[in-house]
Amino acid sequence: MSVTAPQGFEAAGVAVGLKSTGKPDVAVIVNRGPLKTGAAVFTSNRAKANPILWSEQVIRDGVVEAIVLNSGGANCFTGSFGFQTTHQTAERAAELLGVGAGDILVCSTGLIGTGDQVFRDKVLAGVEQGIARLNPEGGPDAANAIMTTDSVQKTATYQADGWSIGGMAKGAGMLAPGLATMLVVLTTDAVLTSSEADAHLRAATRVSFDRLDSDGCMSTNDQVTLMVSGASGVTPDAAAFRAGLTAICSDLARQLQGDAEGASHDISIQVMHAASEEEAVEVGRSVARNNLFKAAIFGNDPNWGRVLAAIGTTTALFDPYDVDVEMNGVRVCSSGGPDRPREEVDLTPRATSIVIDLKVGDASATILTNDLTHDYVHENSAYAS
């Protein structure tokens, strides 16, 4: 059911020709209430797409009636025409729904730097068709409509005592977020204020989507949105809701990791005994963004020296000659020197675990990444073709 699993939401996904494949490419999700609460986090990339610039303004009052998403075009670096297209998208949806355009979020994903009247006309047609087909069973169709290079749709649900959360995500490349990753929509029928929704969303994304660093490239269109209908009538315990939201965000983040472009290994980098959580994240991300390390994992080579070389570029507190490294359960490095023979490490499974013990504190963090493959290079060399 995806985003329509919680009460109070309807969705649709339609095909209007933005994609050459003829697959669905415009999604609409509407909150029927009684609450119309929303929160969102956005890419920290200074180069922001027009829908991000629009949605950053919309979310300020914490009211969201609906969200319109299109694939097949990022509407980024398309000048004033592109921003007008985003504005008209919200206006068309608002007119058909009988609400204000300032309460309609807009998201786009696809190729940067392209957009013309044909693109605009198709998006507006998608808004009209999508709203005409809104239904409580439309979550899966909406999830399909936001896919670009994704090979599968990504959805998740979380059921609690009297309330629930639903979610959908898209993303297979440019996964190196600042607060968010690609496009994610979360819905809940719990009763929350806008400030509560914002606080819970930021806490959940910080330890889920913000820890996914697939290829070190940050998108111009990243947005994670939480829509609150309050239709269950249940006000959840704050800790319980935050745990549920974090669980569903973590689930979707791992689905994004598992569908990363061309990847043959899903790598979990756990940093232990760091001086602070921030330093644990810095160390883990340094390894996740090291192309030599990623290439070694692709070749099933347990080259732990590349791990130490990567963490040595950070400002984190540790002694490089007192660090342990495990690869898939085998401690290959102890106190900055060789430990078990490399031949004991089996890197053929897709799931790959790296554990780094800094031995300086009590903090920890886990970063998710992927290996660097021939297929990734090929897919991104031909992305605009």
Coordinates of all heavy atoms in Angstrom, one line a residue, residues 7-8 31-37 65 189-191 228-233:
Q7 N -4.4 5.9 7.2 CA -5.7 6.5 6.9 C -5.5 8.0 6.5 O -4.7 8.6 7.0 CB -6.6 6.4 8.1 CG -6.9 5.0 8.6 CD -7.7 5.1 9.9 OE1 -8.9 5.5 9.9 NE2 -7.1 4.7 11.0
G8 N -6.4 8.4 5.5 CA -6.5 9.8 5.2 C -5.7 10.2 4.0 O -5.6 11.4 3.7
N31 N -3.5 14.6 1.0 CA -3.9 14.4 2.4 C -5.3 14.8 2.6 O -5.6 16.0 2.4 CB -2.9 15.2 3.3 CG -3.2 15.0 4.8 OD1 -4.1 14.3 5.1 ND2 -2.3 15.6 5.6
R32 N -6.2 13.9 2.9 CA -7.6 14.2 3.1 C -7.9 14.6 4.6 O -9.0 14.9 4.9 CB -8.4 13.0 2.7 CG -8.3 12.6 1.2 CD -8.8 13.7 0.3 NE -8.9 13.3 -1.1 CZ -9.1 14.1 -2.1 NH1 -9.3 15.4 -1.9 NH2 -9.2 13.6 -3.3
G33 N -6.9 14.6 5.4 CA -7.1 15.1 6.8 C -7.6 14.1 7.8 O -7.7 12.9 7.5
P34 N -8.1 14.6 8.9 CA -8.4 16.0 9.2 C -7.3 17.0 9.3 O -7.4 18.2 9.1 CB -9.2 15.9 10.5 CG -8.7 14.7 11.1 CD -8.4 13.8 10.0
L35 N -6.1 16.5 9.7 CA -4.9 17.4 9.8 C -4.3 17.5 8.4 O -4.3 16.6 7.6 CB -3.9 16.9 10.8 CG -4.4 16.7 12.3 CD1 -3.2 16.2 13.1 CD2 -4.9 18.0 12.8
K36 N -3.7 18.7 8.2 CA -3.0 18.9 6.9 C -1.5 19.3 7.2 O -1.0 20.3 6.7 CB -3.7 19.9 6.1 CG -5.1 19.6 5.8 CD -5.3 18.4 4.9 CE -6.7 18.1 4.6 NZ -7.3 19.0 3.6
T37 N -0.9 18.6 8.1 CA 0.4 18.9 8.7 C 1.5 18.3 7.8 O 1.3 17.2 7.2 CB 0.5 18.4 10.1 OG1 -0.5 18.9 10.9 CG2 1.9 18.7 10.7
E65 N -1.2 20.2 1.8 CA -2.4 19.6 1.3 C -2.1 18.4 0.4 O -2.8 17.4 0.4 CB -3.2 20.6 0.5 CG -3.8 21.7 1.3 CD -5.1 21.3 2.0 OE1 -5.6 20.2 1.8 OE2 -5.7 22.2 2.7
D189 N -1.0 8.6 9.9 CA -2.3 9.0 10.3 C -2.3 9.3 11.8 O -3.3 9.5 12.5 CB -3.4 7.9 10.0 CG -2.9 6.5 10.5 OD1 -2.0 6.4 11.3 OD2 -3.5 5.5 10.0
A190 N -1.1 9.3 12.4 CA -1.0 9.8 13.8 C -1.3 11.3 13.9 O -1.2 12.0 12.9 CB 0.5 9.5 14.3
V191 N -1.6 11.7 15.1 CA -1.8 13.1 15.4 C -0.5 13.7 15.9 O 0.0 13.4 16.9 CB -2.9 13.3 16.5 CG1 -3.1 14.7 16.9 CG2 -4.2 12.7 16.0
V228 N 1.1 14.4 7.5 CA 0.4 14.0 8.7 C -1.1 14.2 8.5 O -1.5 15.4 8.4 CB 0.9 14.7 9.9 CG1 0.1 14.2 11.2 CG2 2.4 14.5 10.1
S229 N -1.9 13.2 8.5 CA -3.4 13.3 8.4 C -4.1 13.3 9.7 O -5.2 13.9 9.8 CB -3.9 12.2 7.5 OG -4.0 10.9 8.2
G230 N -3.6 12.7 10.7 CA -4.2 12.6 12.0 C -5.5 11.8 12.0 O -6.3 11.9 12.9
A231 N -5.7 11.1 10.9 CA -7.0 10.4 10.7 C -7.3 9.2 11.7 O -8.4 8.8 11.9 CB -7.1 9.8 9.3
S232 N -6.2 8.7 12.4 CA -6.4 7.7 13.4 C -7.0 8.3 14.7 O -7.5 7.5 15.5 CB -5.1 7.0 13.7 OG -4.2 7.9 14.4
G233 N -6.8 9.6 14.9 CA -7.2 10.2 16.1 C -6.3 9.9 17.3 O -6.6 10.2 18.4

